[in-house]
Amino acid sequence: MRLILLLAALILAPAALAAKEPVRPVTVLVGIDGFRADYLERGITPRLAALAKSGANAAMRPSFPTKTFPNHFALVTGKRPDRNGIVGNSMIDPRRPGVMFSLGNSQQALDPFWWSEAEPVWIAAERAGLRTATMFWPGSEVPFDGQRPADWMRYDQNITNVQRVNTLLDWLRRPATIRPAFATIYFDTVDTIGHRFGPDSAEVNAALAEVDTRIGELVDGAAKLGVPLNLVIVADHGMRATDEARVIQLDDIIDRASYIAVETGPYAAIEPVAGTDSRVYDALLVPHEHMTCTRKEDLPGRLHYGSNPRVAAIICIAENGWTILAGPPAYPVKGGAHGFDNADPDMLAVFIANGPAFAKGAKLSTFDNVAVAALLRAALGLPEDADADGKLADVKAALRR
Ligand code: AMP
Ligand code: ZN
Ligand code: ZN
């Protein structure tokens, strides 16, 4: 009898040991588009507020231009738009004459050519043997150097926030061998509603509450599965109220045939048409009310912008809250917008880190968003990227001592 028990114990021991092995935390990068830093203080996001309080948090400075694609890519590459190659939601490249990259032009937006200037953290992780999974993130649908996350999804705004969370939970539910070590998830609704109704609207508050509920479901779902999370929750930029009374009309300054407006709105990217160069420069590079236009090479150093060949020749930045138009607007100027100077306090983005890798109860001073990539690498055990613009030292206070 004793012998049988001993044998049984020997056979069962490895299984019992395996069952007790600690589950490796999964680093999850959550992007809440347009979640302005101070939204957290409205008292309508209890789950996020609790994560901020028991983890690390800060009001984070976005990179210029304060747009979605450039900043999402800055967050995962550690390089500012000028060096990560995604210099705008819309952009041109002298190597591709006559072609315009834009967020809605999937033929260009999904072409690796545009995304090849900086390596996203999921590629660094995959190369180090860590499995990654992306439930949306700008750039994650495109191979880098022929590599992709092990699991990735083509962006579709119609996939509900509930579906997005459930997809991520399904990935966490997997056996350890095929469970990601790093995952992303992205919510667009706070930004979408922020544009339509403005940052101070009841509609934005409802969108904030809904996303907060989804984050709660993610946290509770992972806890139920017994999978610890190192959560890094960020926004790409904030949101500022705009209205049709504060509009700068380029038609009043220069004829539309003389330039290409690569981008308009809170900032404008203007490329003179060949042969009309001096006319456009002469008209724009003078003082204007509510707008400052600068040759890209003369932009202030604090913007870290203008050396990439994809940056248009002239960059005009509107006074905070103003909108630059080239002809009639595509949609009415109302609600909210972003794209302003990254020194605008309304462009500040939320940052929360919570999990075993992170400090408990740390309020960081404002830092540049490119440091997030360094923090993600640290949480994943990857070495710091010496070539990145963002340094781990800038967010060291977010790490557990
Ligand atoms: P913005 O115009 O800067 O406010 O960008 C926000 C928009 O980007 C939202 O309407 C999203 O639906 C859209 N978006 C986010 N990720 C992607 C993606 N991977 N591909 C295309 N559009 C996206
Ligand atoms: Zn955005
Ligand atoms: Zn937006």
Side-chain angles (χ1 to χ4, degrees), residues 375-395:
L375 186 70
L376 295 170
R377 294 178 75 106
L380 288 165
L382 299 173
E384 185 168 6
D385 175 6
D387 187 41
D389 295 321
K391 304 294 173 207
L392 187 59
D394 300 341
V395 278

Side-chain angles (χ1 to χ4, degrees), residues 33 68 191 195 237 239 338:
D33 202 315
T68 296
D191 176 79
H195 282 293
H237 50 69
M239 187 64 72
H338 52 87

Side-chain angles (χ1 to χ4, degrees), residues 310-322:
R310 293 174 179 174
V311 177
I314 302 169
I315 298 297
C316 300
I317 305 178
E319 185 183 324
N320 296 339
W322 286 71

